[in-house]
């Protein structure tokens, strides 16, 4: 299809391309100056007294965070079924068990009123996910965590930039927050992620474990004037470091983040206005906080047309869309391992049956947006 509008395209400019070329020509391809600069700029972007540890995916970052808080076999971590499998798989790396909770049917985030009843003597942490870029109720989560002495690891794969009560996600009082720079995320480095923490011990442990458990700062080892050959291995670590090539993309993507967010917010408002009177549910929003608008989701609850036929029709009209998420309790691995029953997740199941993610990205033109809107109107008429 010649003028097919894809569900997503990354927004990569000449500044990203030039910076990558410079990196390629510099002779330094792995973790080095560019990665360090990206981390420093990321700290500046979020603001506050935080550490930033660049990694090669958010999955890697979440794994490192759980290792740093000392997650052990048979521990439990409370999270949401309405997420990508990465959130829960990292818990299984330790032989620990995710405990899935249903979502709030309005926000599509973890239902915080259900967390306390899920806590047992084995519970070690809570992993909230800021779905689509709308913040979870972090006050409730942090309060419960404090009361029961639990750790909080935020899956912020969708939440750059998102605020909660005026503060950017990444600057709250959780133990670690992890952003994703996967190809479709609001900031992309192709593959990549950033772990943020206020806790120096967690930061130090994650820095060591992201590069083979080597107890010498990666930048110190690569960049110092002292002989670089000596290092000590203090733990069986991982290979999770970010390359300078990826960081070179990230440095420029980061500069544009507020501009990108504004563009998506504007488009989201146009979707709201144009789709308001159709038999669909519009995405939830906050009156006071910034939504990253990583995703714009509609739900077909009031339409006779099924979700799958709707997607097929839109595709035939030349518009790509997607579904976020197939809840974890419906995937064979999670369902069979934990004997999960959809009736225990009525909201996540119902939302999944009706939800569609529409194209929403900065490379879209007004005509593209118009095309999506017109075709949705045509289908739902
Ligand atoms: C994309 C995504 C991840 C995984 O990010 P990677 O950088 O690909 O590891 C984790 N959680 C959620 C909710 C995501 O959407």
């Amino acid at each position: 299809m010649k003028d097919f509008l894809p569900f997503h395209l990354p927004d990569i400019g000449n500044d990203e391309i030039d910076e990558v070329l410079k990196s390629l020509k510099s002779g330094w391809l792995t973790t080095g100056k560019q990665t360090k600069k990206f981390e420093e700029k990321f700290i500046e972007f979020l603001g506050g007294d935080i550490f930033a540890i660049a990694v090669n995916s958010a999955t890697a970052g979440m794994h490192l965070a759980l290792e740093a808080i000392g997650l052990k076999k048979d521990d439990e971590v409370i999270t949401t079924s309405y997420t990508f499998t990465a959130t829960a798989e990292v818990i299984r790396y330790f032989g620990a068990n995710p405990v899935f909770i249903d979502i709030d049917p309005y926000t599509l985030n973890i239902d915080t009123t259900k967390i306390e009843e899920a806590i047992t003597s084995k519970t070690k942490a809570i992993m909230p996910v800021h779905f689509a870029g709308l913040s979870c109720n972090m006050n409730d989560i942090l309060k419960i965590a404090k009361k029961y002495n639990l750790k909080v690891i935020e899956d912020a794969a969708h939440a750059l930039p998102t605020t909660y009560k005026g503060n950017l996600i990444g600057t709250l009082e959780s133990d670690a927050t992890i952003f994703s720079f996967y190809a479709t995320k609001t900031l992309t480095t192709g593959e990549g992620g950033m772990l943020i923490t206020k806790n120096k011990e967690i930061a130090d442990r994650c820095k060591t474990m992201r590069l083979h458990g080597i107890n010498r700062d990666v930048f110190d080892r690569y960049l110092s004037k002292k002989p670089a050959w000596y290092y000590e291995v203090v733990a069986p670590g991982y290979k999770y470091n970010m390359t300078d090539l990826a960081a070179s993309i990230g440095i420029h993507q980061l500069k544009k983040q507020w501009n990108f967010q504004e563009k998506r917010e504007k488009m989201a408002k146009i979707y709201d206005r144009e789709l308001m009177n159709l038999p669909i549910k519009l995405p939830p929003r906050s009156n006071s906080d910034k939504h990253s608008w990583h995703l714009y989701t509609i739900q077909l609850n009031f339409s006779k047309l099924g979700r799958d036929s709707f997607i097929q029709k839109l595709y035939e009209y030349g518009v790509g869309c997607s579904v976020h998420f197939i809840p974890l309790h419906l995937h064979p691995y999670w369902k069979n391992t934990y004997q999960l029953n959809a009736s225990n997740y009525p909201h996540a199941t119902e939302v999944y049956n009706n939800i569609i993610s529409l194209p929403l990205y900065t490379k879209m033109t007004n005509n593209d947006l118009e095309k999506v809107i017109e075709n949705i109107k045509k289908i739902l008429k």
Side-chain angles (χ1 to χ4, degrees):
M1 252 176 280
K2 196 164 94 300
D3 24 315
F4 187 81
L5 179 72
F7 170 67
H8 182 79
L9 283 176
D11 196 343
I12 301 291
N14 283 329
D15 25 7
E16 281 91 340
I17 293 167
D18 292 345
E19 195 78 37
V20 171
L21 285 179
K22 224 164 59 184
S23 261
L24 278 169
K25 290 173 183 168
S26 76
W28 198 273
L29 303 182
T30 181
T31 311
K33 282 203 294 255
Q34 292 291 81
T35 307
K36 192 178 176 79
K37 181 173 171 189
F38 185 34
E39 290 177 341
E40 286 164 1
K41 293 289 173 191
F42 211 87
I43 291 171
E44 255 174 56
F45 180 88
L46 293 179
D49 206 359
I50 53 175
F51 300 93
I53 294 134
V55 286
N56 57 17
S57 74
T59 308
M62 292 190 290
H63 184 193
L64 289 178
L66 292 179
E67 200 276 339
I69 63 165
L71 193 69
K72 295 272 176 332
K73 188 170 179 310
D74 296 330
D75 283 347
E76 290 173 1
V77 179
I78 293 173
T79 189
T80 165
S81 168
Y82 210 70
T83 185
F84 183 59
T85 194
T87 321
E89 80 191 22
V90 292
I91 299 164
R92 294 296 296 140
Y93 292 178
F94 299 86
N97 299 307
V99 174
F100 299 112
I101 288 189
D102 203 5
I103 48 172
D104 174 308
Y106 177 68
T107 64
L108 314 187
N109 283 326
I110 189 167
D111 182 349
T112 55
T113 65
K114 300 255 167 64
I115 293 178
E116 276 195 90
E117 62 200 52
I119 294 173
T120 72
S121 58
K122 293 176 177 171
T123 310
K124 177 87 184 184
I126 307 171
M127 285 181 81
V129 180
H130 308 292
F131 180 77
L134 178 71
S135 173
C136 295
N137 182 341
M138 290 305 296
N139 266 6
D140 278 8
I141 291 167
L142 291 166
K143 220 183 285 170
I144 294 167
K146 197 162 189 187
K147 181 171 165 192
Y148 294 91
N149 196 21
L150 306 176
K151 306 291 183 188
V152 176
I153 310 293
E154 294 173 66
D155 178 340
H158 298 185
L160 187 73
T162 288
T163 65
Y164 177 70
K165 295 195 184 298
N167 298 307
L168 279 165
I169 295 298
T171 65
L172 308 182
E173 296 307 312
S174 49
D175 296 275
T177 301
I178 297 95
F179 296 96
S180 170
F181 308 141
Y182 179 67
T184 59
K185 301 287 158 69
T186 56
L187 184 162
T188 187
T189 61
E191 298 279 1
M194 191 72 79
L195 186 155
I196 302 292
T197 180
K198 290 187 171 174
N199 181 316
K200 186 169 187 310
E201 274 169 47
I202 291 178
D204 287 345
R205 180 69 181 176
C206 291
K207 275 182 196 166
T208 299
M209 294 307 278
R210 92 173 141 181
L211 196 75
H212 303 297
I214 289 171
N215 185 18
R216 178 171 177 187
D217 190 286
V218 43
F219 304 112
D220 175 52
R221 183 162 162 245
Y222 289 137
L223 302 174
S224 93
K225 301 271 190 297
K226 285 176 279 176
W229 63 268
Y230 186 75
Y231 59 86
E232 284 175 332
V233 173
V234 296
Y238 308 102
K239 188 69 200 291
Y240 284 167
N241 54 308
M242 175 177 276
T243 67
D244 266 17
L245 296 181
S248 295
I249 306 172
I251 288 164
H252 290 279
Q253 288 272 293
L254 185 64
K255 287 184 187 165
K256 305 171 190 173
Q257 279 306 299
W258 280 115
N259 180 266
F260 283 178
Q261 190 278 342
E262 271 170 39
K263 282 189 181 167
R264 288 190 303 269
E265 185 175 285
K266 245 187 218 157
M267 289 192 280
K269 280 187 179 148
I270 295 173
Y271 272 146
D272 281 353
R273 191 186 69 214
E274 295 295 321
L275 304 177
M276 193 166 63
N277 294 318
L278 296 172
I280 57 173
K281 266 194 208 171
L282 297 179
R285 67 218 49 246
S286 152
N287 290 327
S288 50
D289 271 315
K290 279 286 170 199
H291 191 308
S292 74
W293 291 113
H294 166 54
L295 298 174
Y296 187 95
T297 60
I298 58 171
Q299 293 172 60
L300 291 183
N301 305 49
F302 318 114
S303 162
K304 278 190 222 93
L305 192 68
R307 191 264 318 272
D308 299 354
S309 327
F310 182 95
I311 291 178
Q312 182 57 32
K313 279 232 153 69
L314 258 185
Y315 178 78
E316 283 162 17
Y317 292 146
V319 175
C321 45
S322 191
V323 173
H324 298 88
F325 287 106
I326 304 167
L328 298 185
H329 67 265
L330 297 180
H331 285 288
Y333 173 74
W334 298 113
K335 191 175 148 187
N336 298 336
T337 304
Y338 294 105
Q339 312 292 315
L340 302 176
N341 194 323
S343 63
N344 290 325
Y345 305 94
H347 298 309
T349 308
E350 161 90 2
V351 169
Y352 163 63
N353 286 330
N354 291 292
I355 204 163
I356 296 157
S357 303
L358 300 181
L360 180 72
Y361 49 97
T362 50
K363 291 285 266 190
M364 282 172 75
T365 63
N366 287 340
N367 279 347
D368 293 336
L369 196 63
E370 188 79 356
K371 179 179 178 180
V372 183
I373 292 163
E374 287 316 307
N375 283 305
I376 291 176
K377 285 180 177 169
K378 194 157 82 184
I379 293 168
L380 291 178
K381 224 188 247 141

